[in-house]
Amino acid sequence: GLLALEASFGWEEQSLPTGETRFRVHCEQKDFLERLQRLLKQAVPAAESALSELEETDWLAAWRQFFTPVCCGKQFVVLPPWLADTPDFPGRTPILIEPKSAFGTGHHATTALCLRVVSDLLEAGRLQAGQHFLDLGTGSGVLGIGCCKSGLTGEGLDIDPLAVDNALENRVLNAVAPENFTVAEGSIGAVAGKRFDLVLANILARPLTEMAADIVRACRPGGCLVLSGLLEIQADGVAAAYRAQGLPEPRRIIDGEWAALVWDS
Ligand code: SAM
């Protein structure tokens, strides 16, 4: 939950003289904040929370200032739609993402790591236009859209219906043809029997470990597999689960406390 929150919303953290910490979360979706309040109450019964509405104009400006463009690798820049016409990133492929509750505005290290790997693989000719990808845990669709804008085609899956809606919205924003990037609610079982040239799965260490056999099966022999959503301290455990499926030791790419595991040889 916090992972998604950190990536998708503006938030401030303040240490109070009492030793307590106050978090202020900016979000335009009241129902999401109410859900967050309920989860917080369950997880930390002593925590207090309150909702308040900001004046429309101030709120929009305050919220928008969090969504700065993010350059990922040499190839991509992730931008909110209101910055679509910025001329500041010549030569980069823009990925327009409408920030909503789905994860994947580019601001989280795990998204940026995955896009960096895709950018490097494209540059090295290891990935090519016309190849087929699976974006498991597509969130906002950011990774799949980046792949499609680089000439690949593929499928995005997510267990969260709100993420599916956001990915579909972002597919339109980026003028990606529906047949080039199909997006649906579901998980790895939905592609049983299919094989992809590239499998991207930016989820979390535990589901990545549990789905290791199916994820490995979804990647064609000699294809590329990129996993993220895991902390560096979880990398050994996740890598071991994939070694148990017959894969060699992956390359590890680290950003702060986050890691990506890459099989591309
Ligand atoms: N791909 C985007 C990115 O790189 O920014 C979003 C990644 S976000 C960390 C993980 C996404 O995976 C969430 O949207 C979540 O709903 C989804 N998810 C979690 N478990 C899943 C599972 N077992 N199968 C498919 N999607 C899952």
Side-chain angles (χ1 to χ4, degrees):
L2 279 183
L3 189 69
L5 191 63
E6 195 179 337
S8 304
F9 300 96
W11 75 341
E12 298 153 31
E13 189 176 329
Q14 189 185 8
S15 297
L16 302 178
T18 55
E20 293 165 314
T21 306
R22 176 188 291 155
F23 296 96
R24 193 196 296 265
V25 181
H26 301 269
C27 173
E28 68 174 341
Q29 287 166 288
K30 192 171 172 218
D31 57 341
F32 177 83
L33 289 174
E34 286 168 347
R35 197 168 128 202
L36 186 65
Q37 277 188 305
R38 285 196 298 276
L39 287 172
L40 180 67
K41 200 73 207 161
Q42 279 170 18
V44 191
E48 290 172 17
S49 64
L51 284 185
S52 61
E53 260 177 53
L54 293 181
E55 214 175 291
E56 187 68 20
T57 47
D58 294 342
W59 147 243
L60 197 60
W63 180 75
R64 283 189 161 189
Q65 77 183 8
F66 286 100
F67 298 104
T68 49
V70 185
C71 290
C72 302
K74 290 190 185 157
Q75 188 126 345
F76 299 111
V77 55
V78 188
L79 305 150
W82 58 89
L83 296 179
D85 294 329
T86 177
D88 299 345
F89 306 98
R92 285 183 179 268
T93 303
I95 304 174
L96 299 177
I97 297 297
E98 183 69 63
K100 293 224 168 143
S101 67
F103 189 108
T105 59
H107 290 81
H108 198 273
T110 57
T111 310
L113 278 171
C114 291
L115 282 176
R116 196 170 107 196
V117 172
V118 172
S119 172
D120 290 348
L121 293 174
L122 286 164
E123 200 191 5
R126 182 68 181 79
L127 281 179
Q128 283 155 9
Q131 288 190 314
H132 206 48
F133 69 85
L134 172 65
D135 177 9
L136 187 63
T138 193
S140 66
V142 59
L143 305 181
I145 289 167
C147 289
C148 287
K149 286 190 143 183
S150 307
L152 284 78
T153 58
E155 302 187 29
L157 290 169
D158 204 293
I159 52 172
D160 178 357
L162 290 179
V164 172
D165 288 349
N166 189 219
L168 290 171
E169 181 180 12
N170 290 324
R171 186 177 73 183
V172 173
L173 259 182
N174 288 275
V176 169
E179 63 273 22
N180 288 345
F181 185 32
T182 57
V183 178
E185 193 178 333
S187 188
I188 190 73
V191 289
K194 292 192 187 171
R195 293 212 137 174
F196 299 85
D197 301 300
L198 167 68
V199 176
L200 297 160
N202 179 12
I203 307 188
L204 286 170
R206 201 166 74 182
L208 287 175
T209 304
E210 288 167 357
M211 292 189 282
D214 291 331
I215 288 179
V216 169
R217 252 194 303 277
C219 189
R220 74 159 169 81
C224 299
L225 171 60
V226 183
L227 307 179
S228 193
L230 53 136
L231 294 164
E232 186 183 6
I233 52 169
Q234 297 171 318
D236 283 343
V238 176
Y242 284 74
R243 273 201 313 274
Q245 299 302 324
L247 293 194
E249 193 58 33
R251 286 198 292 129
R252 295 180 189 202
I253 306 184
I254 308 296
D255 183 352
E257 60 186 342
W258 297 98
L261 303 181
V262 182
W263 288 265
D264 57 358
S265 52

